[in-house]
């Protein structure tokens, strides 16, 4: 991750984190009605959400390409890790039965 003078953002304490977690819990029947497996899946999804935001912060700070210890230009590893985290989030959302973004719009249009 990027090394700078300021502390990285605490994504878990953000309004965005809390709002998304609450929305996921609500869409699955409410926090009090979640079974242990579903609650764990939501927690796992939110873990990847935090990781993905941290990776995006690193990409913003250092760019798409960085120099290695020998001075050679190479892809910032955060780019590929962000893609992997995004794919895992999609898999978790599918396992939870969630419809996201354009898929939701298509379903709404069909009604």
């Amino acid at each position: 991750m990027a090394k700078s003078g300021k502390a990285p953002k605490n994504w878990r304490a953000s309004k965005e984190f809390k709002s998304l977690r609450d929305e996921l819990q609500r869409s699955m029947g409410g926090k009090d009605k979640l079974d242990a497996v579903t609650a764990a899946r939501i927690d796992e999804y939110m873990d990847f959400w935090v990781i993905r935001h941290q990776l995006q912060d690193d990409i913003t700070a250092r760019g798409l390409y960085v120099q290695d210890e020998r001075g050679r230009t190479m892809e910032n590893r955060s780019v590929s890790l962000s893609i992997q985290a995004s794919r895992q989030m999609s898999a978790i959302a599918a396992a939870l039965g969630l419809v996201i973004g354009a898929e939701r719009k298509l379903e709404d249009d069909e009604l």
Side-chain angles (χ1 to χ4, degrees), residues 62-81:
R62 297 191 312 148
L64 295 175
Y65 297 95
V66 296
Q67 288 190 343
D68 67 9
E69 60 279 349
R70 294 183 180 170
R72 295 178 295 191
T73 300
M74 58 185 278
E75 178 187 55
N76 182 345
R77 180 81 170 117
S78 292
V79 173
S80 59
L81 291 173

Side-chain angles (χ1 to χ4, degrees), residues 9-19 49:
K9 181 173 180 172
N10 181 356
W11 285 101
R12 285 190 188 285
S14 70
K15 290 179 186 176
E16 297 97 332
F17 178 92
K18 293 172 184 169
S19 176
W49 185 89

